[in-house]
Amino acid sequence: MKNRILVGAVALVSTFALGGCGILSGTEASGSKKVTIWLMKDSVSDDFLKRFTEAYQKDHPSVELEFKFQSWSGIGPKVTAALRSKDAPDVIEVGNTQVAQYAESGGLRDLTLESVRDLGSEDWLPGLAEPGSIDGIQYGIPWYAANRVVIYNKELFEQAGIKNPPKTRDEWIEDSERLNRGGNQGIYLAGQNWYVLAGFIWDEGGELADERGGNWAGALDSPEALQGMSFYKELQALGDGPRNADEEKPPQADVFAKGNVAQIISVPGTVAQIEKKNPELKGKLGYFPIPGKTAKEPGSVFIGGSDLIVPDNADQRSAGIEVVKALAGRKWQEELARTMSYVPNKPDLARVIVGQEGTAAMARGATRGRATPNSPQWADVEADNPIKPYMTAVLEGGDPEREARAASEKITSRLAGS
């Protein structure tokens, strides 16, 4: 996928401009090795890259770093072509859910040893680590993460007599019912926000798709997945979100900015868009993790983010691996979190974002982060996503089991490449 979730997260901090396919290289490096790194446009700031480049080249005087910036649009074929070429970059940033499709090409370096020996992979966020591991081999090294939280209007909560954000699903429903009156919406939840649905399904012990004997099959019709959809329907009814559209039609930030919506589910960066649309809401918005079934832990969330991969045919493969180890190691993970308000690849590193309310809520939720099914064909599912019309059909009164079965069959077909 194209890291759709990160668009809002990056908006929180991305006031810089990096030219597509531009180059940022060290001005003082004169070593014999040039390591070429492809990063996605707007993933990190100029300041972060400048500090990292200067520090890295000071510690590695024989290495020059060259950063080339790519666009998410059309990146899949471009990376696949690079992996097959004789002129591949030495390091590539990819979406965490894209690793499986690139690994299928056979052009990725096995980074399992470095993951265990040098990077403490046992402590990584599962939602970032698992998509980078294919058949027990770690091809993608988790770099950063972002996930959805609940953004709420503190003023409307106070008016409803709600002193603290809910910590359980039951409290969430109760509070949303109290908020959904007097011309206000308790929560604005579009009917086709399938990433949110995925979290509810995972909380129930269900899956979007299961792997059975090496083959993938849609699983929306399992009892657990159906229970997740039932909760989604209950919550979605406590506002006026459209049943037949996703969160971008209309943009939920614009709806929330009108001031009569108590809650939306989005990445923290959406607040910047809301406040730009309605400056009167500045200072009135808060964040909390999506509540879980109990107060012991937050609800499950889809976690988006980026991994770093190393092409097997890269000229400076060994030097590239060293760069990956630096970017994914403690020092620069903490710097990245502070600079970009991202969630670092290990929960214990999130302490550096204390005081950043939105990012801190995101980090708490990330401990329950999951990724989409780790199939190379999952992108084909998202391209014409059968989950969306399934959700609309159920919200409009369709039989949940029948609609889930039909959607699951379509998922199975697409995962089989047919």
Side-chain angles (χ1 to χ4, degrees):
M1 61 174 287
K2 299 175 183 177
N3 271 19
R4 178 179 172 190
I5 190 173
L6 293 178
V7 173
V10 170
L12 181 65
V13 289
S14 296
T15 56
F16 51 87
L18 299 177
C21 298
I23 298 176
L24 176 65
S25 57
T27 57
E28 298 180 3
S30 58
S32 58
K33 295 180 181 178
K34 177 181 284 187
V35 178
T36 301
I37 303 115
W38 282 8
L39 296 184
M40 302 312 298
K41 183 176 182 290
D42 291 349
S43 281
V44 293
S45 66
D46 288 324
D47 174 65
F48 174 86
L49 275 191
K50 181 180 179 181
R51 286 186 284 117
F52 175 79
T53 300
E54 290 177 350
Y56 192 88
Q57 291 181 167
K58 181 179 180 181
D59 292 339
H60 304 80
S62 65
V63 173
E64 178 184 357
L65 302 183
E66 177 185 58
F67 292 93
K68 296 186 176 181
F69 302 99
Q70 314 296 328
S71 171
W72 285 115
S73 177
I75 191 60
K78 189 169 186 178
V79 172
T80 300
L83 295 176
R84 294 171 179 167
S85 75
K86 296 181 180 180
D87 188 30
D90 304 297
V91 179
I92 306 176
E93 175 192 353
V94 299
N96 62 320
T97 60
Q98 294 175 328
V99 177
Q101 69 183 87
Y102 299 140
E104 190 179 38
S105 72
L108 299 189
R109 177 68 172 175
D110 179 351
L111 301 174
T112 307
L113 175 62
E114 291 81 4
S115 299
V116 176
R117 182 189 63 197
D118 304 315
L119 291 170
S121 58
E122 69 277 6
D123 297 324
W124 283 337
L125 287 168
L128 278 185
E130 291 170 2
S133 178
I134 314 297
D135 296 328
I137 299 174
Q138 196 74 41
Y139 293 109
I141 303 300
W143 193 22
Y144 60 79
N147 51 271
R148 290 165 176 79
V149 300
V150 182
I151 299 171
Y152 72 104
N153 186 318
K154 294 179 180 179
E155 195 170 66
L156 294 184
F157 268 56
E158 290 173 3
Q159 291 173 6
I162 302 170
K163 296 181 179 180
N164 298 302
K167 293 185 177 179
T168 69
R169 277 192 188 181
D170 289 343
E171 291 176 357
W172 196 16
I173 292 293
E174 181 181 342
D175 288 349
S176 298
E177 288 175 340
R178 293 173 65 181
L179 292 158
N180 192 44
R181 60 187 64 173
N184 296 325
Q185 296 186 53
I187 185 168
Y188 180 87
L189 180 58
Q192 296 183 350
N193 197 331
W194 71 276
Y195 286 119
V196 173
L197 171 64
F200 299 160
I201 289 174
W202 292 328
D203 275 345
E204 298 292 345
E207 299 289 346
L208 301 176
D210 285 320
E211 186 177 16
R212 305 166 186 169
N215 297 314
W216 286 90
L220 294 177
D221 53 339
S222 72
E224 295 83 3
L226 288 168
Q227 188 60 37
M229 183 64 219
S230 176
F231 178 74
Y232 190 99
K233 184 176 182 179
E234 182 181 10
L235 184 66
Q236 199 269 342
L238 299 176
D240 298 329
R243 296 172 179 173
N244 61 348
D246 64 21
E247 63 275 21
E248 294 302 322
K249 299 174 184 177
Q252 63 177 351
D254 292 354
V255 177
F256 191 87
K258 295 176 181 179
N260 66 337
V261 174
Q263 307 168 86
I264 58 171
I265 301 171
S266 188
V267 291
T270 303
V271 166
Q273 301 171 37
I274 294 167
E275 292 177 346
K276 182 177 180 180
K277 195 81 175 179
N278 184 358
E280 291 184 5
L281 289 177
K282 194 174 183 67
K284 297 179 181 179
L285 306 183
Y287 318 78
F288 58 89
I290 293 175
K293 297 186 74 172
T294 72
K296 293 181 179 179
E297 56 188 7
S300 298
V301 291
F302 167 74
I303 189 167
S306 283
D307 281 17
L308 299 171
I309 61 174
V310 176
D312 215 17
N313 59 351
D315 288 340
Q316 300 296 338
R317 188 175 61 199
S318 296
I321 292 173
E322 293 304 310
V323 173
V324 169
K325 285 160 58 176
L327 286 169
R330 174 177 293 271
K331 177 182 178 181
W332 290 103
Q333 278 291 292
E334 291 182 344
E335 285 295 315
L336 187 65
R338 274 191 290 259
T339 303
M340 301 299 300
S341 296
Y342 288 146
V343 176
N345 60 21
K346 295 181 181 179
D348 73 302
L349 301 180
R351 66 181 184 278
V352 302
I353 54 178
V354 172
Q356 300 179 36
E357 184 183 356
T359 311
M362 190 164 61
R364 291 197 300 275
T367 61
R368 295 272 292 156
R370 295 277 304 275
T372 49
N374 208 6
S375 163
Q377 281 73 45
W378 185 256
D380 296 334
V381 175
E382 291 195 26
D384 186 20
N385 198 331
I387 304 175
K388 289 186 171 185
Y390 153 66
M391 297 173 71
T392 294
V394 174
L395 294 174
E396 291 182 342
D399 179 75
E401 291 188 26
R402 183 181 65 247
E403 299 294 346
R405 192 177 308 114
S408 293
E409 288 172 357
K410 292 177 181 178
I411 291 174
T412 299
S413 176
R414 286 166 196 176
L415 291 178
S418 57

